[in-house]
Amino acid sequence: MYAKERRDLNIYREIQMISLTSIAVVAVLCDLQSGRIPNAVTATGLMMGLTYQLFENEILGVILYLGGIMLPVLLLGGLYYFRMLGAGDIKLLSVVGGFLGPAGVLSCMVRSFFVAAVFSLVILYRNHLFGKQFTYFWAYISDYAKNGQWHSYTDGVDERAKFCFSIPVLIGILCCV
């Protein structure tokens, strides 16, 4: 590869890192402040991701973009249905997919869920909630299996056990870029 082409790839990579990280930081700040990620932040990130993919990969970028934004929706839709994960979190991961493509967002999701698991364990330990939350989880699963009636999972979760999932997503992004 020529030096100019290598430099151009480095510039695209830097633009990708700065843009994606900036969007994620804004999403985390909004999530911490209001408990939600505004659609304007998500829409901006999606447009920036598409623009990045088009410049970096041309027409192939559209395919990578579409695959990347759809993968979190397909894989995490069930968690949203039971209100175990918020719509804003899935949309934020779709933004990640827009920038990184399907393989990149999958890697980011795995890392984000690992970080979230560590956060959860620390929170449960510090607040002495292991027994209470695990009992609630199994009761929720057996009730749904028995009755087939849906209700929001978070209705019975102790407030001290909740945290913004956008923070582990940001950490997952930082590990990936």
Side-chain angles (χ1 to χ4, degrees):
M1 199 182 293
Y2 297 105
K4 182 183 179 331
E5 289 173 346
R6 194 173 313 119
R7 188 178 62 233
D8 289 346
L9 286 177
N10 287 337
I11 290 171
Y12 284 135
R13 185 78 169 148
E14 288 175 18
I15 290 170
Q16 176 195 40
M17 291 180 351
I18 292 168
S19 300
L20 181 55
T21 304
S22 298
I23 288 291
V25 167
V26 170
V28 167
L29 293 174
C30 291
D31 200 8
L32 289 171
Q33 184 177 28
S34 68
R36 57 182 297 275
I37 299 170
N39 287 336
V41 173
T42 305
T44 301
L46 289 171
M47 288 186 290
M48 291 170 69
L50 178 59
T51 303
Y52 168 78
Q53 285 292 353
L54 286 171
F55 276 106
E56 175 73 16
N57 299 303
E58 298 171 348
I59 195 69
L60 176 62
V62 175
I63 296 167
L64 292 171
Y65 174 81
L66 292 173
I69 65 170
M70 291 306 298
L71 192 61
V73 175
L74 295 172
L75 294 179
L76 303 176
L79 293 177
Y80 171 73
Y81 176 77
F82 291 106
R83 301 299 188 262
M84 295 175 170
L85 196 61
D89 301 318
I90 295 173
K91 291 185 285 185
L92 179 58
L93 284 165
S94 289
V95 169
V96 174
F99 277 93
L100 302 180
V105 74
L106 187 59
S107 175
C108 182
M109 286 169 43
V110 168
R111 292 170 185 189
S112 298
F113 275 94
F114 177 77
V115 170
V118 171
F119 277 23
S120 295
L121 291 173
V122 169
I123 289 169
L124 292 176
Y125 175 76
R126 292 185 93 189
N127 292 303
H128 309 287
L129 295 172
F130 273 110
K132 181 180 180 181
Q133 289 311 129
F134 283 114
T135 301
Y136 173 72
F137 175 75
W138 290 116
Y140 180 87
I141 296 295
S142 70
D143 183 54
Y144 183 77
K146 205 181 299 178
N147 302 326
Q149 292 182 338
W150 173 90
H151 64 87
S152 176
Y153 178 77
T154 58
D155 289 347
V157 173
D158 190 303
E159 286 299 315
R160 296 173 295 167
K162 296 179 181 177
F163 63 92
C164 295
F165 185 69
S166 59
I167 297 169
V169 171
L170 174 60
I171 294 169
I173 291 168
L174 295 173
C175 291
C176 288
V177 293

